[in-house]
Amino acid sequence: MIFKSIYLKEGFFERTITFSEGVNLIHSVENSCGKTTLLRFMLYALGYNIPNTRKIKFGRCEVELVIECEIVGSISLRRYSDIAIEAIIENRKRTFVLPEQQNDLHKIIFGTGNVDILENLLGAFYVDQEKGWTLLNRGVVIGSIHFKIEELIRGLAGCDCSGLIRKEAQLSSEMSKYKQMFSVAQYRKTLDEEAGELVTDSYEEESDIAVNQFLLRKARLKSELRRIDNTLSDNRRFKRFVADMKLLVQAPDGSTFPVTENNIVGLNDAIDLLIVKRKMVSKEYATVSGVLDRLEKEKDKEYEQLEFYKSASQLEIFDKRIARMPMNPIAIEQEIKRLDKEIKSIRTEINDITRNNNAIVSSISKNVIKYAEELGLGNKETIPASYLFTSNLKELSGAVLHKTAFAFRLAYISVIEDALKIKLPIILDSPSGKEVDQANIKLMMNILKRDFADHQIIIASIFNYDFDNVKNIEIKERLIDVNTL
């Protein structure tokens, strides 16, 4: 994939920037002029959920990006809001709703529908100035976008662990709830040991049961209202979307007439039915809320009467309620142990599928060791294959971590190229870190010149780099600097 050009518009200011297929240097004499903002605009135009920079809100700007892809050729992407992208692909205009259809768009761009690959590609070819130079195999790429090497490997190797992963997530959720129950059970045990101080009240128990029943009913009704509102919103949005497409329908007699919001058959009836349903549920919700208010007021009066006989603190009231809850800490602890054992077993199975007998793992490890050795980080004797999955970053710092992150990224890009037959761009934001001297920078750039000369390289920096035929994109005081007035 190659970035060809980008058009930016903010209010009355605009700018068009073209890129070369080789090395591009986004340069400014001073920091905070817009280099990082330009890189983020490029990713934003690709459909990623990219955080704003301090000076520019992306959602208030118009962005049009032209890219060249190996599979479908030239693609024009226009994004003027956070919720959708208009794409012209093979001379056909298509709209992708974000984030729901992000992977549908990226499937076309990158030539694969594998979700594990698509959701981890950005972490392979983009190195953010804040997070990127400390990211090796898992963590935050930028904003809410994460990278996990295990997912990328499974995707590239064609390993499907989705069933196991769903089961692990379900069991982990159950484990969390049981641990909370165990904490409450332990607390209740201390109350039993104190004995005699807590007095339960049959009226209060009955009142609590009634309140809990109505609370459950209220929650169910609230959920139903939310579901109906979401469905209504989606239907209305779809109706407007279809109307905005300016479609024409041809009748059997050859006449044509436009499709509008009012003549879409069936959709209006469905919306009317939902509105009636919402009124019924809303009425029931109001009734239940009224009963709950009445019960709560009765309980408050009961507590006020009890104050004449005993001054009860919030803690004492809480203790009385906990003391009435039947709990068996031994049974809960046994369930926690069972879940823990099952979760560990599933995780082991996932790890075995991911790491063992996997040619992708061997290829990435081989490339990591190759570049690590060239960067003076070690060799195959000192860097085991399992280092690819390390979670111990405490031993790495400064220039060592910086160069290690660089080696890992290049290894990912090489293997992705072999697997998908695409050449990802290499986007580096501020590669000259504070503790990285020019000798190390030269080693890094030499690898790019030698092994990645046929990839598009985009570097944002206040420094210059020793490349032949560099396209210099100069940013002076402001990224978007041409006034259209």
Side-chain angles (χ1 to χ4, degrees), residues 210-239:
V211 168
N212 288 335
Q213 288 175 342
F214 277 101
L215 282 173
L216 289 172
R217 189 174 170 189
K218 182 179 179 181
R220 179 182 61 79
L221 292 170
K222 187 175 182 181
S223 177
E224 178 69 5
L225 282 172
R226 189 182 299 113
R227 185 188 67 79
I228 293 172
D229 287 340
N230 288 338
T231 305
L232 278 170
S233 177
D234 290 341
N235 284 343
R236 285 168 175 158
R237 193 160 46 237
F238 175 74
K239 187 165 66 171

Side-chain angles (χ1 to χ4, degrees), residues 203 207 293-303:
Y203 171 79
S207 178
D293 289 341
R294 179 175 57 78
L295 291 174
E296 291 291 348
K297 288 178 181 178
E298 290 178 358
K299 286 182 65 176
D300 289 341
K301 289 180 180 179
E302 182 69 17
Y303 285 135

Side-chain angles (χ1 to χ4, degrees), residues 368-380 383:
V368 167
I369 293 170
K370 170 187 172 182
Y371 295 124
E373 187 170 5
E374 192 166 345
L375 293 169
L377 300 170
N379 52 46
K380 61 183 178 181
I383 303 177

Side-chain angles (χ1 to χ4, degrees), residues 25 27 32 46 73 228 232 295 323-324 337 403 409 433 469:
L25 176 62
H27 179 266
S32 301
L46 282 177
I228 293 172
L232 278 170
L295 291 174
R324 293 197 301 271
K337 289 179 179 179
K403 292 188 292 182
R409 299 304 178 84
N469 302 319

Side-chain angles (χ1 to χ4, degrees), residues 68-87:
E68 187 77 22
C69 302
E70 286 88 342
I71 309 300
V72 296
S74 180
I75 298 178
S76 176
L77 302 168
R78 187 183 178 201
R79 186 170 184 179
Y80 48 87
S81 72
D82 291 333
I83 64 171
I85 281 184
E86 284 185 0

Side-chain angles (χ1 to χ4, degrees), residues 221-468:
L221 292 170
K222 187 175 182 181
S223 177
E224 178 69 5
L225 282 172
R226 189 182 299 113
R227 185 188 67 79
I228 293 172
D229 287 340
N230 288 338
T231 305
L232 278 170
S233 177
D234 290 341
N235 284 343
R236 285 168 175 158
R237 193 160 46 237
F238 175 74
K239 187 165 66 171
R240 288 195 300 269
F241 175 73
V242 172
D244 289 342
M245 292 176 71
K246 309 298 183 185
L247 297 175
L248 294 176
V249 176
Q250 187 174 33
D253 61 0
S255 62
T256 61
F257 58 91
V259 176
T260 68
E261 292 186 20
N262 296 322
N263 63 13
I264 301 176
V265 179
L267 188 57
N268 289 329
D269 293 339
I271 291 174
D272 291 341
L273 182 62
L274 284 170
I275 291 172
V276 173
K277 174 70 172 176
R278 194 193 188 286
K279 289 180 179 179
M280 294 171 60
V281 176
S282 181
K283 183 177 180 181
E284 187 178 355
Y285 181 83
T287 301
V288 171
S289 298
V291 174
L292 270 173
D293 289 341
R294 179 175 57 78
L295 291 174
E296 291 291 348
K297 288 178 181 178
E298 290 178 358
K299 286 182 65 176
D300 289 341
K301 289 180 180 179
E302 182 69 17
Y303 285 135
E304 289 175 5
Q305 293 174 4
L306 289 173
E307 289 296 324
F308 286 103
Y309 304 100
K310 179 180 178 180
S311 178
S313 67
Q314 288 295 319
L315 181 60
E316 289 170 328
I317 294 171
F318 176 78
D319 286 350
K320 286 178 66 177
R321 292 180 176 177
I322 292 296
R324 293 197 301 271
M325 296 175 64
M327 286 189 172
N328 186 339
I330 297 176
I332 295 172
E333 189 173 21
Q334 288 176 345
E335 187 63 19
I336 290 174
K337 289 179 179 179
R338 184 193 68 78
L339 286 170
D340 185 56
K341 184 178 179 180
E342 191 171 354
I343 290 170
K344 286 180 178 178
S345 175
I346 291 174
R347 287 175 178 169
T348 299
E349 187 175 354
I350 293 173
N351 284 335
D352 288 344
I353 293 173
T354 302
R355 304 182 185 191
N356 296 340
N357 302 316
N358 194 322
I360 298 296
V361 173
S362 300
S363 183
I364 296 177
S365 295
K366 181 180 178 181
N367 284 319
V368 167
I369 293 170
K370 170 187 172 182
Y371 295 124
E373 187 170 5
E374 192 166 345
L375 293 169
L377 300 170
N379 52 46
K380 61 183 178 181
E381 281 74 32
T382 59
I383 303 177
S386 60
Y387 189 71
L388 188 62
F389 301 97
T390 183
S391 57
N392 181 18
L393 301 185
K394 294 180 180 179
E395 60 188 26
L396 304 177
S397 62
V400 173
L401 180 57
H402 197 94
K403 292 188 292 182
T404 304
F406 184 72
F408 271 65
R409 299 304 178 84
L410 297 187
Y412 300 149
I413 291 171
S414 296
V415 173
I416 290 169
E417 180 179 355
D418 292 339
L420 302 184
K421 309 306 177 187
I422 63 172
K423 296 184 185 298
L424 291 174
I426 301 173
I427 303 178
L428 307 176
D429 194 353
S430 305
S432 298
K434 295 180 181 179
E435 300 181 38
V436 184
D437 58 30
Q438 288 304 306
N440 281 318
I441 291 296
K442 185 176 181 180
L443 289 174
M444 294 164 62
M445 297 303 116
N446 283 341
I447 293 174
L448 290 180
K449 286 192 285 186
R450 185 192 68 223
D451 293 352
F452 299 89
D454 53 352
H455 288 249
Q456 185 181 41
I457 298 172
I458 301 172
I459 300 174
S461 179
I462 60 173
F463 301 101
N464 289 300
Y465 299 90
D466 184 22
F467 286 99
D468 297 328

